[in-house]
Amino acid sequence: MKNTTLAFAFVSPALLFLLAVLGWPLVQAAILSFQDVGVIGSEGHFIGLGNYATILGGAGFWRALGRSVVWVLSNAVVQTLLALAAALILNQKFPGVRIARTWIILTWIVPTVVVVIIWRWLLSSSGGMINPLLIQAGVIERPVGFFATREGAMTTLIMINSWRWFPFTTLMMLAGLTRIPGDLYEAARIDGAGTFQRFKRITWPLLQPTLMVLGVVGTLLSFNVFDVIWLLTAGGPSGATQTLPVLIYETAFKGYRLSEAATISVLTSILLMGFAFLTTRAMTAAEADR
């Protein structure tokens, strides 16, 4: 009991800080969602669940939610594959491995605006580097507008965002790989297990806890990505890349419906908190069964 009290005493400042930074704005958003405020600073009136009925009864919210799900799942797959391959390589011993482990994080720490400028230039249909390279390789015959079509815009955004975030995932996976005892690989090698068998029987099972944590954190981070999408496509073309964060911004600051934007924010928060709660319980249950 004494240790528990001491632990809470040490953790309480951080909890109070999080409560002030995250809890208070969420409470204010919840209050705002029950009013009819149009622009910041205007007076609102209590309208009950009117905003929730409007949002849940309209197609825009559900379409944006569907795009957000596609966005999150696609980013998860691409980032996991890239990060797993990079982590497995960086977990080997070769000259310059320490430098490689340091440099791989550069794409993650580069400011978003710089990333956007670089990729806009690289993917430009008039003067970019990607189109000429693809033409020379015989992949395409004429320059392609990567953001011109609905499918192309979403796919391109997913690849750019995955390129930006997979180094972070790589470092987390690399940390998980370094915790696997090398004796297990040595024993498996002596028993005649090949590279794939060692990965299947040792690496993959022991990496599961790390992957599950990354799944939760990655989902929450990807779901809330706004900057890359807005700076590159602003939700276009024709709303093809309008995820929930983009919809919230457009509803509040372009549609001048602040209370409806707050309603979407509250619904999004409930969805994410529910996801985090269920996945955390599933992780705890899986850990207890081992």
Side-chain angles (χ1 to χ4, degrees):
M1 183 66 180
K2 183 178 179 181
N3 291 336
T4 303
T5 304
L6 184 62
F8 274 111
F10 282 119
V11 174
S12 57
L15 292 178
L16 291 174
F17 177 77
L18 288 176
L19 186 62
V21 174
L22 301 177
W24 179 248
L26 185 59
V27 170
Q28 290 298 310
I31 295 173
L32 192 61
S33 68
F34 294 109
Q35 300 176 350
D36 59 352
V37 178
V39 296
I40 298 176
S42 62
E43 185 178 353
H45 304 89
F46 181 78
I47 59 172
L49 297 175
N51 288 322
Y52 289 91
T54 301
I55 297 301
L56 295 175
F61 172 80
W62 298 106
R63 284 197 293 262
L65 177 60
R67 296 187 198 102
S68 293
V69 172
V70 172
W71 167 264
V72 169
L73 293 178
S74 301
N75 273 278
V77 172
V78 176
Q79 290 180 37
T80 300
L81 292 177
L82 291 175
L84 183 59
L88 290 173
I89 294 174
L90 293 176
N91 195 41
Q92 307 301 315
K93 295 181 180 179
F94 57 88
V97 64
R98 294 182 179 273
I99 299 176
R101 289 178 178 179
T102 303
W103 278 77
I104 195 172
I105 200 67
L106 285 181
T107 61
W108 181 55
I109 63 176
V110 172
T112 303
V113 174
V114 177
V115 171
V116 169
I117 292 174
I118 292 173
W119 280 105
R120 273 192 176 278
W121 170 65
L122 289 174
L123 298 174
S124 173
S125 57
S126 57
M129 293 181 61
I130 302 298
N131 272 306
L133 290 175
L134 294 177
I135 292 174
Q136 291 179 7
V139 178
I140 57 177
E141 296 181 356
R142 60 180 64 86
V144 174
F146 290 93
F147 299 110
T149 63
R150 298 175 62 88
E151 296 78 10
M154 179 61 84
T155 303
T156 304
L157 281 176
I158 290 169
M159 298 307 296
I160 292 174
N161 192 65
S162 297
W163 171 85
R164 173 168 167 74
W165 280 97
F166 94 90
F168 169 77
T169 310
T170 298
L171 291 183
M172 297 301 102
M173 288 189 182
L174 185 59
L177 289 173
T178 55
R179 291 200 302 265
I180 300 177
D183 296 342
L184 296 177
Y185 291 108
E186 187 64 28
R189 195 176 290 109
I190 293 174
D191 291 340
T195 302
F196 178 75
Q197 287 296 322
R198 293 197 299 271
F199 174 81
K200 180 180 178 181
R201 302 294 183 182
I202 300 175
T203 304
W204 185 253
L206 296 181
L207 200 59
Q208 288 300 307
T210 303
L211 293 175
M212 293 179 71
V213 172
L214 284 174
V216 177
V217 176
T219 298
L220 298 178
L221 291 176
S222 294
F223 204 98
N224 289 304
V225 168
F226 169 79
D227 48 6
V228 171
I229 299 175
W230 184 256
L231 292 173
L232 283 171
T233 65
S238 301
T241 58
Q242 187 192 58
T243 57
L244 282 178
V246 176
L247 177 63
I248 292 171
Y249 178 85
E250 290 185 336
T251 302
F253 301 109
K254 295 183 71 176
Y256 302 109
R257 303 190 304 276
L258 194 61
S259 287
E260 290 187 15
T263 304
I264 302 173
S265 300
V266 172
L267 292 172
T268 302
S269 299
I270 293 173
L271 287 173
L272 293 179
M273 285 189 291
F275 168 80
F277 175 75
L278 293 176
T279 50
T280 302
R281 288 197 62 179
M283 290 167 56
T284 303
E287 193 69 25
D289 291 339
R290 292 179 182 174

